[in-house]
């Protein structure tokens, strides 16, 4: 599966690659939770107005032996429409044909991972061609993600879970400015799950 960013600053990839976070050490994959009365951690993000080069993320769900893989590749999409390989790769959870999406500014990316229903969350930092993995497998034991969508302001993800009973429905995840996810709870029950 593949997705394309819309970020102007992060998409330039002009500086040296600092390397991906392969083990999620930059942050915990454990679910961050907050109740409705806590301080809002969400970070609104605005879409850029100028056209610019973009990043495309492609999952590579199989290894050379046709086994399951957890690899992702970053491609550059130029203003002329040409895709080029820059050699940047990173690892999260398995994604065969589930959605990969970006925040409106293209800085935060999310892969719905179809092996375990978690979300892989990454961000592009200015001057870093390879994304930083913020959470390799977020949401385990909270939901089983079938798909996700950003709110129009990019501050939240809404995650659809149709595989759990109870627990199916729509779940809300706040996204901090650095991409850190905070589980906000189930906002809509699936019919028959509550």
């Amino acid at each position: 599966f593949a997705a394309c960013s819309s970020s102007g600053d992060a998409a330039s990839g002009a500086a040296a690659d600092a390397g991906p976070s392969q083990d999620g050490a930059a942050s915990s994959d454990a679910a961050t939770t907050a109740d409705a009365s806590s301080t809002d951690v969400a970070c609104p993000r605005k879409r850029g107005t100028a056209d610019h080069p973009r990043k495309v993320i492609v999952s590579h769900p199989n290894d050379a032996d046709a086994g399951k893989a957890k690899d992702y590749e970053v491609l550059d999409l130029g203003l002329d429409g040409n895709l080029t390989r820059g050699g940047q790769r990173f690892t999260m959870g398995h994604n065969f044909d589930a959605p990969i999406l970006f925040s409106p500014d293209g800085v935060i990316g999310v892969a719905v991972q179809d092996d375990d229903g978690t979300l892989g969350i990454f961000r592009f930092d200015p001057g870093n061609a390879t994304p930083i993995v913020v959470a390799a497998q977020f949401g385990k034991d909270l939901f089983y993600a079938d798909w996700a969508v950003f709110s129009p302001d990019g501050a939240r993800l809404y995650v659809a879970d149709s595989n759990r009973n109870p627990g199916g429905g729509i779940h809300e995840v706040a996204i901090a400015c650095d991409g850190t996810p905070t589980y906000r709870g189930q906002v809509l029950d699936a019919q028959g799950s509550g």
Side-chain angles (χ1 to χ4, degrees):
F1 204 82
C4 182
S5 77
S6 62
S7 172
D9 295 334
S12 67
D17 176 12
S21 171
Q22 299 293 330
D23 60 2
S27 68
S28 171
D29 286 337
T32 302
T33 59
D35 63 38
S37 64
S38 67
T39 303
D40 195 3
V41 296
C43 180
R45 301 175 167 282
K46 295 185 191 250
R47 180 180 310 274
T49 56
D51 203 9
H52 48 76
R54 300 173 192 277
K55 298 291 187 187
V56 176
I57 303 297
V58 179
S59 68
H60 292 283
N62 298 323
D63 61 21
D65 298 324
K68 287 186 178 179
K70 300 177 178 183
D71 298 326
Y72 295 78
E73 180 178 7
V74 180
L75 304 176
D76 295 308
L77 178 61
L79 290 174
D80 60 2
N82 288 320
L83 281 173
T84 57
R85 284 192 152 129
Q88 301 92 0
R89 291 184 175 259
F90 61 103
T91 302
M92 294 190 303
H94 184 263
N95 178 300
F96 177 70
D97 64 355
I100 301 172
L101 52 143
F102 283 92
S103 59
D105 62 358
V107 173
I108 305 297
V110 176
V112 175
Q113 298 171 148
D114 46 22
D115 236 14
D116 61 4
T118 61
L119 302 174
I121 302 172
F122 57 92
R123 78 170 182 268
F124 281 100
D125 287 343
N128 194 1
T130 302
I132 304 300
V133 175
V134 177
Q137 294 177 296
F138 178 79
K140 196 169 190 84
D141 300 324
L142 296 173
F143 48 74
Y144 190 99
D146 292 308
W147 58 264
V149 63
F150 272 98
S151 60
D153 68 357
R156 290 171 171 48
L157 281 171
Y158 292 97
V159 180
D161 173 355
S162 63
N163 293 316
R164 287 212 176 152
N165 190 11
I170 306 296
H171 297 261
E172 181 180 339
V173 177
I175 303 296
C177 291
D178 67 355
T180 301
T182 300
Y183 182 69
R184 303 296 287 172
Q186 186 176 18
V187 295
L188 182 66
D189 287 337
Q191 187 173 8
S193 70

